[in-house]
Amino acid sequence: MNFDYDKLLKEMDFRKFGSAQRILLEEQELRHNAAAYESFNQARQYQWVQESSLIRYIVGGMLPVAQNYTQQIISCRKSVENVLKQMNDNIYYSAPLEFKYQGSVSNNTHIRHNSDVDLLTIIGLYETLEHPQRPQYPYKGVPENDLAELRNNCVGQIKKVMSSVHVDNSGAKSIALSGGSLIVKVDVVPANWFNSNRYAETNNAIYRGIQIYNKRNNERILNYPFWFNDLLKNKDSFTGGVFKRAIRLLKTIKTDAERELGAKINFSSYAISSLLYTIPTNKYWIGESPLTLLKVINETLEFYGHEKNFSKLLDPLGDQLSSSESIEGVRQLQSVTSMMLGDIGDDINRVIKIA
């Protein structure tokens, strides 16, 4: 197995910035905004590193998407949010909808200038309480029916106000919006609040869960996106920003490996974050030798490529990963990172300063 690193580098350039023409336009527009222009140049710094294509690829894979592109993604999400908020003036006047965010854009581990983005649309009619909490006024309705109705109302509202936007309502957990005025895909995710016991005790919003509606099975699925993001943020802070660099790098490698191999690698972005979260903080202290991060990642993939270790792999909240996550996916990723390490050779400890 051999990869053409010149080709991968060009594909990463496009994934991060779009066409060469768009890069020029963005650069011209950002010259009057010092902070955005600096972020734009920091995201591009790997392009100017005087090293091999492989080394530039690895350094570039670590870096965040430029601030201006992320803001464009967020603006698309906000425009959909503002349209759905209009339902609070009529349909949901007595129990307003709330809107929150989850996914890679919300925790700054996305790797595309046009990443998909999630918009949690949270019903205000009721909240689920974790046992042994008991509601003072028990809800008389059927939560699943209310969420199904919310989903239908969201579809109707988008079609009415954003008629040029394509609405794909076939997904189990979200409504996919694309085209028209949207430059990225926005996934509208109907849900309700889940007030955990920890949230009740601390009143800390990060411990408040959500139950996402799965229309295919007419069920609600519990997760804690705000707690997850907080744990990732803290880990990143303790590692001087290297932890999220590792996530972006491995997501980049997975994306390109799937294209080169012509097959999906069954190990999700959530699982990648969880696997890299298990690495001790001190192993992320790599100083000015960023290439050694690939070695740390490879060692971790090799460890979890063994059945007994993979079976004990937990997410940052201490839960088992979904059964859809595959040990074969870990082994495929390890095979690629091992190959890249071999191609780097003695350059692994090279000093390369990146902002």
Side-chain angles (χ1 to χ4, degrees), residues 41 102 172 181 241 341:
N41 284 331
Q102 66 175 9
S181 60
L341 282 173

Side-chain angles (χ1 to χ4, degrees), residues 9 12-13 16-17 23 27 35-69 240-241 245 248 287-288 290 351-355:
L9 191 58
M12 184 170 69
D13 289 344
K16 281 179 169 289
F17 301 101
I23 292 174
E27 191 171 28
Y37 190 63
E38 181 181 2
S39 170
F40 186 66
N41 284 331
Q42 285 179 348
R44 295 180 63 194
Q45 60 187 298
Y46 70 96
Q47 297 176 337
W48 306 312
V49 173
Q50 299 300 307
E51 299 289 350
S52 68
S53 294
L54 171 56
I55 290 178
R56 282 185 284 145
Y57 172 82
I58 293 171
V59 172
M62 302 177 189
L63 298 175
V65 171
Q67 190 180 91
N68 56 301
Y69 292 110
R245 286 183 178 177
R248 296 185 204 105
E288 293 182 344
V351 173
I352 302 173
K353 295 184 179 181
I354 58 176

Side-chain angles (χ1 to χ4, degrees), residues 46-322:
Y46 70 96
Q47 297 176 337
W48 306 312
V49 173
Q50 299 300 307
E51 299 289 350
S52 68
S53 294
L54 171 56
I55 290 178
R56 282 185 284 145
Y57 172 82
I58 293 171
V59 172
M62 302 177 189
L63 298 175
V65 171
Q67 190 180 91
N68 56 301
Y69 292 110
T70 299
Q71 191 54 54
Q72 290 165 12
I73 295 170
I74 292 171
S75 293
C76 281
R77 182 181 65 195
K78 193 67 178 177
S79 66
V80 174
E81 179 180 333
N82 288 337
V83 168
L84 295 179
K85 270 183 179 177
Q86 294 172 20
M87 293 194 294
N88 285 341
D89 295 330
N90 42 69
I91 301 174
Y92 295 101
Y93 177 77
S94 60
L97 302 173
E98 291 184 67
F99 301 89
K100 298 292 180 182
Y101 317 122
Q102 66 175 9
S104 63
V105 174
S106 70
N107 57 42
N108 194 26
T109 61
H110 55 302
I111 60 172
R112 301 176 187 275
H113 75 277
N114 57 351
S115 291
D116 300 349
V117 64
D118 288 352
L119 175 62
L120 292 168
T121 303
I122 302 172
I123 198 163
L125 293 172
Y126 62 88
E127 300 169 351
T128 301
L129 306 183
E130 184 178 12
H131 181 78
Q133 297 179 70
R134 297 177 65 86
Q136 186 175 1
Y137 304 103
Y139 184 59
K140 304 296 184 182
V142 180
E144 291 78 9
N145 292 349
D146 294 321
L147 288 170
E149 183 179 26
L150 170 60
R151 180 166 177 145
N152 290 334
N153 288 337
C154 288
V155 169
Q157 178 72 3
I158 293 296
K159 287 184 174 181
K160 181 176 70 173
V161 181
M162 305 178 81
S163 57
S164 64
V165 168
H166 175 68
V167 180
D168 180 358
N169 193 26
S170 63
K173 302 173 188 175
S174 63
I175 307 158
L177 310 178
S178 60
S181 60
L182 302 176
I183 60 173
V184 301
K185 183 163 78 76
V186 179
D187 290 325
V188 175
V189 185
N192 65 258
W193 285 118
F194 180 88
N195 294 345
S196 68
N197 291 330
R198 194 164 185 175
Y199 169 67
E201 293 164 3
T202 64
N203 200 34
N204 189 333
I206 66 169
Y207 301 124
R208 202 176 193 193
I210 57 164
Q211 289 179 306
I212 293 172
Y213 179 61
N214 183 335
K215 78 167 188 176
R216 207 157 286 159
N217 301 323
N218 193 36
E219 64 180 3
R220 293 178 293 159
I221 301 168
L222 174 63
N223 63 42
Y224 292 91
F226 319 117
W227 190 5
F228 179 80
N229 278 0
D230 190 69
L231 289 170
L232 263 56
K233 181 184 73 172
N234 289 337
K235 180 89 170 185
D236 197 53
S237 177
F238 296 147
T239 63
V242 178
F243 169 57
K244 288 189 179 180
R245 286 183 178 177
I247 296 175
R248 296 185 204 105
L249 176 57
L250 191 51
K251 286 172 67 172
T252 295
I253 290 172
K254 180 197 170 192
T255 296
D256 290 321
E258 287 178 328
R259 183 184 293 108
E260 293 297 306
L261 299 172
K264 180 177 174 59
I265 295 176
N266 291 319
F267 204 65
S268 69
S269 294
Y270 186 92
I272 284 174
S273 297
S274 299
L275 179 142
L276 297 177
Y277 187 86
T278 68
I279 297 174
T281 298
N282 66 313
K283 285 199 172 185
Y284 280 115
W285 297 339
I286 56 175
E288 293 182 344
S289 301
L291 301 181
T292 59
L293 183 58
L294 183 65
K295 183 178 179 181
V296 173
I297 292 171
N298 180 70
E299 290 171 350
T300 307
L301 289 168
E302 185 175 19
F303 178 80
Y304 285 111
H306 296 282
E307 290 278 359
K308 65 177 182 179
N309 298 328
F310 184 81
S311 65
K312 299 175 183 177
L313 178 57
L314 305 177
D315 71 11
L317 281 66
D319 296 325
Q320 288 282 348
L321 294 181
S322 166

